[in-house]
Amino acid sequence: MKKPYSMLDNKEEKSRIQTNRDKLASISENSNYQFQLKNRIGSSDLKNYFLLTESEEKGIKETIRLNVSSTPYYILLSDPFDPNCPIRRMIVPTETEIFISQEESADPLNEEDLSPVPGLTCMYPDRALLFANHECSVYCRHCMRGRKVSDNKERMDHEALSKCFDYLRSHPEITDVVVSGGDPLNLSDSKIDWILGELESIESVQICRLGTRNPVTNPMRITKELCEIIEKRNSDQLSIFCNTQFNHPKECTKDAEDAILRILKAGVSVGNQTVILKGINDSGEVMLELHKKLLKMRVRAYYMYDPEILPGSRGFRTPLHKGIEIIEYMRGKISGMGIPHFVNDLPGGGGKITLSPNWYLGYHKESKRHLFRSAAHGTYHLSPEPLDSEYENSYQEVDIRLWNEVSPTARHVNSKSKNK
């Protein structure tokens, strides 16, 4: 009979796991990124670094949607004895991952149907998403592209990528290309140089956005040589940006900060796209702490995603209102540079939409004033509409009961003071 988790939680087992972790830390110290990639911890070895719960053991054994693997660096950020550790939750599958709901889809954004050539998705008329690589340093359990990174059939070799570049050359309306994957920075320096060089040679492509989680999961990858390549290609012809994904304050390490600084010194700004994950960062307090740390690291907030409806993702999904609640909590406690746009990437390929708390409460036609609620203080404020405005019928009307209740005490902003 299998022992319950509580009976496994003993000194001998903990000692074994801690010894393994100490050895891993010793051989990983001062390692390069190739070492991290070659020594990734797979599903069969997770038991050597975590005191696994029955749910995790079942998840490891039966998960089918996504590979299981992590760099030693990222493993060592996690807690081996706490099943609720946020880093651990992103590494180790649980039994929730093996249940597939009817509403879930392997391709919820309809990216494959919006792909004119393999490896390229065109959801917007002027932008394209290039899947340059299908490998990652860590296979995060919430990954929205598990269908690609766990499938070796669709490899983006030189020929496949060349067809993508040919398509971009023949469609000059596309001016902005996101290079993603998998993780494009898991490719060799020479291949990254070739990809960026091809984009730079396409006259109509003006912007390149590198999407990578390596600063978080394998910061050693951000080498001097890689940054020199990026700086070389970041030219008058091609403006390069970088977006990464920090999801929790525990990921904001000195190694990660150093990697970000190397990217910045190459003349490339860095933005962060976090995902709201149940039990990991789904609170205003955690998100605020994360984004304060990111600002200190010179990383600006970009997006905060509502979780996608992916197969086996029920353990991570949160109510839509949770994102609005988080943004409402953050506003007034950190500068605007640290507050992400809360977005829902619409199922079926509808693209991104932003959602926000209701700080605008409506328009009062009789007084020609708008009613607002302050995010920072919770107070009510009135602001006038210009007398010659032609947009009065475009605004939502204020709830008259609310207006009668709060307008006498609301702070007024007249036109003269507003323009100061």
Side-chain angles (χ1 to χ4, degrees), residues 216-277:
V216 183
T217 59
N218 190 9
M220 302 81 177
R221 178 61 186 106
I222 315 302
T223 62
K224 176 185 175 184
E225 293 76 17
L226 174 62
C227 290
E228 286 175 350
I229 290 169
I230 294 173
E231 185 174 14
K232 176 182 67 175
R233 298 302 181 184
N234 190 27
S235 62
D236 290 342
Q237 170 60 30
L238 186 68
S239 298
I240 299 178
F241 298 82
C242 178
N243 286 318
T244 188
Q245 186 190 129
F246 288 84
N247 289 322
H248 193 273
K250 287 184 71 172
E251 296 173 326
C252 299
T253 66
K254 182 64 167 61
D255 288 320
E257 184 174 7
D258 290 344
I260 295 295
L261 187 57
R262 287 192 288 273
I263 297 173
L264 294 170
K265 286 184 175 179
V268 174
S269 65
V270 182
N272 190 66
Q273 302 183 116
T274 191
V275 184
I276 307 174
L277 301 169

Side-chain angles (χ1 to χ4, degrees), residues 41-43 46 60 63 66-70 91-93 97 139 141:
I41 311 301
S43 57
L46 289 177
I60 291 169
T63 185
L66 181 64
N67 291 338
V68 180
S69 183
S70 172
I91 296 173
V92 184
E97 196 170 302
Y139 293 103
R141 305 324 303 166

